[in-house]
Amino acid sequence: MDAIFWQRLHGGSTHLPIVLLPLSVLFDAVALRLRDEAARRLFHSAGVALAFTGVLGGCAAVIAGLAMTHGNLLGSGEEKTHHLFVWPAFILSFAFVAARLLSWRQISPGWLRAYFAGMGLASALMLGAGYWGGEMLLHAEPEDPAVTSVVSRNEPSVVMRGHDLFLMNCAQCHGDDGRGTEEGPDLTKFNKSETRIASVVKNGIKSEMPRFDQKLTDADVKMLIRFIRSLSGRGT
């Protein structure tokens, strides 16, 4: 399975927990205020079904995310902030939904209130994760078709020029061969979209990496990305 598959699976599956977990909490909140037993059970069942579907979506998103990052649990910058919301939200929701399904016929009012509070917190964290995921997308600038056209004309020379730019700007931290040093990570296993790489190069990462938007043109960044891609043998 290639990187595009994992990116599409991740992008699609993340919507499920972000939408369904808060909705499941809403259904349970309504159920807690109902006096009619049949209606209460109906809303509780709907809440559990929504929560279970949201957790399944969360599992798919986590698996795809780990495949995209080669097991990197946090990352850096906005990606790290996003993951600091994702992991607690996923763990909480998975644990509470699993516990509720296992104790379906033995739910006390006190346990249900604890579940409601835990899932409320998980939902809030998941919404925070969605917010920071959106921030990552907003800060990723779209590619200029004209630049893409120019860069794609002569791929071998583009990679060579990208190599020169890498040696001048990146090798000090990432090593001449891109395999990383104590100052920077291994780029031969770097599995991010071109848009994300361009955003990191241009904007940097606070306290970790300088920004190069004043030093490198869009065409320079594109050629640099071509070289980084060549390190892992993935090309374009």
Side-chain angles (χ1 to χ4, degrees):
M1 297 181 182
D2 59 19
I4 297 299
F5 169 81
W6 293 117
Q7 289 172 8
R8 288 174 176 170
L9 177 61
H10 186 72
S13 57
T14 52
H15 293 84
L16 292 175
I18 291 172
V19 174
L20 297 184
L21 292 185
L23 195 57
S24 76
V25 172
L26 177 61
F27 271 65
D28 274 323
V30 172
L32 289 174
R33 299 184 66 85
L34 291 174
R35 295 186 177 181
D36 183 86
E37 183 63 25
R40 183 186 299 115
R41 291 193 178 200
L42 179 63
F43 272 85
H44 277 318
S45 296
V48 171
L50 290 169
F52 179 70
T53 306
V55 167
L56 285 181
C59 290
V62 165
I63 292 170
L66 290 174
M68 289 165 57
T69 61
H70 298 285
N72 188 337
L73 297 179
L74 289 180
S76 57
E78 289 175 348
E79 183 181 39
K80 181 177 181 179
T81 305
H82 168 68
H83 286 149
L84 287 175
F85 280 88
V86 165
W87 286 113
F90 176 71
I91 292 169
L92 274 173
S93 58
F94 187 93
F96 273 102
V97 170
R100 184 166 180 182
L101 290 174
L102 290 173
S103 58
W104 178 256
R105 298 183 181 280
Q106 300 176 352
I107 298 177
S108 66
W111 193 98
L112 189 60
R113 284 193 291 270
Y115 170 88
F116 181 73
M119 288 298 290
L121 177 58
S123 299
L125 289 169
M126 194 62 74
L127 290 173
Y131 171 82
W132 283 104
E135 286 292 295
M136 289 167 59
L137 293 176
L138 287 174
H139 292 168
E141 299 178 8
E143 297 178 359
D144 186 338
V147 171
T148 301
S149 176
V150 170
V151 169
S152 300
R153 287 175 187 169
N154 194 341
E155 190 63 28
S157 65
V158 166
V159 174
M160 290 179 63
R161 175 56 181 159
H163 183 211
D164 292 339
L165 290 167
F166 184 86
L167 291 176
M168 289 187 290
N169 299 281
C170 315
Q172 181 177 354
C173 293
H174 296 284
D176 291 349
D177 58 0
R179 294 186 180 278
T181 68
E182 292 182 357
E183 301 295 327
D186 184 350
L187 297 181
T188 64
K189 300 178 181 178
F190 201 60
N191 190 21
K192 299 291 183 183
S193 68
E194 291 196 11
T195 302
R196 177 59 181 159
I197 296 173
S199 176
V200 171
V201 171
K202 291 180 181 179
N203 302 316
I205 300 174
K206 187 176 180 181
S207 302
E208 296 183 30
M209 174 177 162
R211 58 190 305 161
F212 290 91
D213 58 334
Q214 299 299 317
K215 187 175 182 180
L216 300 176
T217 65
D218 288 342
D220 288 338
V221 172
K222 194 75 176 179
M223 289 185 281
L224 186 58
I225 291 172
R226 288 289 188 268
F227 172 70
I228 294 173
R229 291 294 200 205
S230 73
L231 292 175
S232 61
R234 288 184 287 121
T236 58

